Amino acid sequence: METEEIFDCYEAIIDGLVEHNYAVVDGLFTPEVLNGLKAELIRLLDEEDFKLAGIGKDTLFAQERAIRSDKIHWIDNRSEHVAENAFVNQIYNFSQYLNRTCFTGIQDFEFHYACFERGNFYKRHFDRFKNDESRKFSVVTYLNEDWTADDGGALVLYLDKQEVHILPKGGRTVIFKSELIEHEVLPAGRNRYSVTGWLK
Ligand code: OGA
Ligand code: MN
């Protein structure tokens, strides 16, 4: 169901994207969806159903621990898990809204859970692959309770004239243009959980 608040949230994201190529919003997803995603992420971690993340795609794929050291698990867009299904539906609705209002031409999306353990990081990079330009927008939603600056793990966006540091607080969503914004994840001081993906 799309409520008034959700449309306000969509509009805040669009304003940010238009003005700065990125946006940060708290509350795009309900606590029920966030809690359900977090529980599933923890269950998958317990089952050791995560794999070391890579860089590049297809023949350029590599696992390079000096560049990134997080672990991921891809979410099936047809998942029947309640929270995953609600998440995917909302991403779909948001993509449709962006297409209607901003002619973004989003046709697909892909999301994974990510876990940065203590000391894990992801060095400065762009999300667009050299051999696949389909990623239009990067979308990261954090699942961490009570995260403070002392816990490290900030997402740093490198803009033309400044750096923006964003704490991975639970319920916060960061969205930015994949082609334009170089960014980095600073070493996390404790387990740092998120759902990360791309609108294509
Ligand atoms: C990524 C990434 C940012 C974050 O997975 O490509 O840059 O804050 N993640 O987790
Ligand atoms: Mn990235």
Side-chain angles (χ1 to χ4, degrees):
M1 197 180 66
E2 287 178 305
T3 59
E4 278 301 317
E5 292 99 82
I6 278 298
F7 288 116
D8 289 347
C9 211
Y10 291 176
E11 285 299 325
I13 292 171
I14 290 168
D15 286 349
L17 288 173
V18 169
E19 282 173 38
H20 311 291
N21 297 322
Y22 79 93
V24 182
V25 292
D26 294 318
L28 180 59
F29 299 99
T30 63
E32 291 76 45
V33 171
L34 297 166
N35 290 338
L37 292 172
K38 171 127 182 225
E40 182 62 3
L41 180 151
I42 299 284
R43 191 188 70 76
L44 292 162
L45 268 182
D46 285 348
E47 308 243 302
E48 299 186 9
D49 204 349
F50 269 64
K51 63 177 187 344
L52 191 62
I55 53 170
K57 187 182 154 94
D58 301 331
T59 53
L60 295 182
F61 180 84
Q63 286 176 331
E64 192 55 81
R65 296 205 82 141
I67 296 176
R68 74 184 292 193
S69 47
D70 58 318
K71 292 184 293 186
I72 65 166
H73 175 104
W74 287 99
I75 295 175
D76 183 347
N77 284 352
R78 292 154 307 175
S79 169
E80 289 176 9
H81 178 278
V82 176
E84 290 182 349
N85 180 261
F87 176 84
V88 166
N89 280 334
Q90 195 168 336
I91 291 291
Y92 176 80
N93 290 338
F94 175 60
S95 302
Q96 294 297 307
Y97 188 86
L98 269 181
N99 284 349
R100 278 201 306 278
T101 57
C102 305
F103 307 101
T104 38
I106 295 158
Q107 298 174 342
D108 197 7
F109 49 80
E110 54 185 5
F111 280 84
H112 61 59
Y113 294 107
C115 171
F116 289 75
E117 289 174 357
R118 187 185 173 83
N120 289 172
F121 54 82
Y122 193 164
K123 299 269 192 211
R124 195 167 166 157
H125 66 282
F126 286 99
D127 281 350
R128 245 199 205 178
F129 296 119
K130 293 195 170 68
N131 53 346
D132 177 354
E133 299 186 343
S134 63
R135 289 177 168 181
K136 292 179 161 68
F137 298 97
S138 304
V139 183
V140 189
T141 299
Y142 302 109
L143 304 174
N144 309 301
E145 266 125 68
D146 307 318
W147 197 276
T148 69
D150 290 343
D151 295 317
L155 169 65
V156 183
L157 305 182
Y158 293 97
L159 309 181
D160 284 346
K161 295 195 180 100
Q162 56 165 333
E163 288 177 16
V164 177
H165 288 235
I166 300 161
L167 286 186
K169 285 181 186 279
R172 172 166 288 171
T173 300
V174 183
I175 174 162
F176 56 89
K177 292 190 186 164
S178 306
E179 179 192 8
L180 294 181
I181 299 216
E182 202 175 7
H183 57 283
E184 167 170 18
V185 179
L186 298 178
R190 62 177 172 104
N191 282 5
R192 176 191 192 273
Y193 303 129
S194 59
V195 178
T196 298
W198 297 274
L199 311 183
K200 316 203 302 180

